[in-house]
Amino acid sequence: MDKTRILIIEDESPIADLLRYGLDKEGFETLAVPSASEGLLETERFRPDLLLLDWMLPDGSGIDVCKQVTATRNIPIIMITAKSDIADKIIGLELGADDYVTKPFDLREVVARVRTLLRRAALASRTEPGREEPEAVRAGRLEIAERERLVRMDGAPVDLTPKEFDLLLALIRRRGQVFTRTELLDSVWGYDYAGDTRTVDIHIQRLRKKLGASDLIATVFGVGYKFEKRAD
């Protein structure tokens, strides 16, 4: 059975070695590279199941790597950052990262977060034997192909980050239901996510802008958000 592959993009050798040691010990297959350019190359060659990505790299930003990777692949990404400012962390999450750990970190926490993300990714991609593929979800001018993770508005593709897609899908599956910000955090980011509810607000704003239909996702003041039923 093939091992789950994890690519570590980290220029500080002691940190990269520590991560490789801990993850190899847990049964993962790991590869560590020290730069953004090598990371992008190995993302295609090594074909990892998850990325551990440093925020600051000698030849660029981990954020740039995150944007390029998520533009072509739906792969879980954990940002490794020395930044403690929540605004910086939200930027990473907006651009496709799924989680983050702050230096200095506990190796056990990293392993736990890796397992949580991989488990969530596996559940999202699992299909039952013999089960027909679900048809596209439609709501008025909006169409979502779940398996292909494609979104179209009036037939034109809409470029969403993985988290924007997951958030839209969570809302549209239960049209008319009001979700609190905390419920959306639990559903889309996971119960153990360490961020705050502003992450949801930012992603909602971006979804409305990209869809060009701010009336589809309604704000329920004092509560949260819902996808309007009348969109059908």
Side-chain angles (χ1 to χ4, degrees):
M1 186 179 196
D2 292 339
K3 291 183 178 180
T4 299
R5 296 181 173 186
I6 298 176
L7 177 61
I8 302 162
I9 308 176
E10 168 62 66
D11 64 316
E12 295 185 52
S13 295
I15 293 178
D17 291 344
L18 175 64
L19 289 169
R20 287 204 68 183
Y21 168 79
L23 293 167
D24 286 347
K25 192 175 179 181
E26 292 293 323
F28 297 107
E29 180 180 352
T30 62
L31 175 66
V33 295
S35 66
S37 57
E38 290 175 273
L40 289 170
L41 178 65
E42 292 298 343
T43 298
E44 297 303 319
R45 187 163 58 188
F46 184 59
R47 305 297 291 180
D49 299 292
L50 181 142
L51 288 184
L52 279 168
L53 175 59
D54 190 16
W55 185 289
M56 299 297 293
L57 295 164
D59 60 342
S61 167
I63 291 297
D64 293 331
V65 175
C66 186
K67 285 195 293 185
Q68 291 186 59
V69 170
T70 56
T72 58
R73 294 191 64 195
N74 183 29
I75 177 173
I77 298 175
I78 299 177
M79 297 292 297
I80 304 171
T81 174
K83 297 174 176 286
S84 58
D85 190 334
I86 188 65
D88 290 323
K89 294 172 181 176
I90 288 175
I91 289 172
L93 294 166
E94 287 175 7
L95 296 175
D98 296 274
D99 203 351
Y100 60 83
V101 292
T102 305
K103 299 176 184 176
F105 52 76
D106 187 314
L107 185 57
R108 293 170 298 179
E109 179 188 1
V110 176
V111 172
R113 289 182 181 274
V114 164
R115 290 196 180 281
T116 297
L117 277 182
L118 289 171
R119 185 165 58 248
R120 196 178 303 149
L123 287 172
S125 63
R126 185 178 300 165
T127 56
E128 296 177 11
R131 181 180 176 181
E132 293 184 2
E133 294 295 331
E135 295 183 0
V137 178
R138 292 181 176 84
R141 299 177 294 134
L142 182 66
E143 177 184 340
I144 302 176
E146 291 190 44
R147 287 289 297 166
E148 294 84 2
R149 295 182 69 85
L150 297 176
V151 176
R152 295 182 180 88
M153 176 65 80
D154 294 326
V158 181
D159 184 22
L160 301 182
T161 67
K163 277 293 174 285
E164 288 166 352
F165 180 90
D166 292 342
L167 179 58
L168 176 61
L169 194 59
L171 289 166
I172 202 171
R173 276 175 172 166
R174 296 186 179 181
R175 275 160 273 188
Q177 177 176 331
V178 179
F179 291 89
T180 67
R181 292 168 177 83
T182 300
E183 286 172 338
L184 289 171
L185 274 178
D186 289 348
S187 174
V188 177
W189 282 265
Y191 72 92
D192 56 349
Y193 171 65
D196 64 19
T197 55
R198 284 180 293 176
T199 301
V200 174
D201 297 331
I202 290 171
H203 279 72
I204 291 289
Q205 291 170 19
R206 287 179 171 268
L207 269 178
R208 286 170 170 165
K209 183 177 180 180
K210 289 184 177 182
L211 294 175
S214 59
D215 58 321
L216 291 181
I217 303 174
T219 299
V220 181
F221 292 100
V223 184
Y225 298 100
K226 68 175 180 177
F227 194 96
E228 292 285 13
K229 269 192 171 182
R230 65 173 180 270
D232 296 342

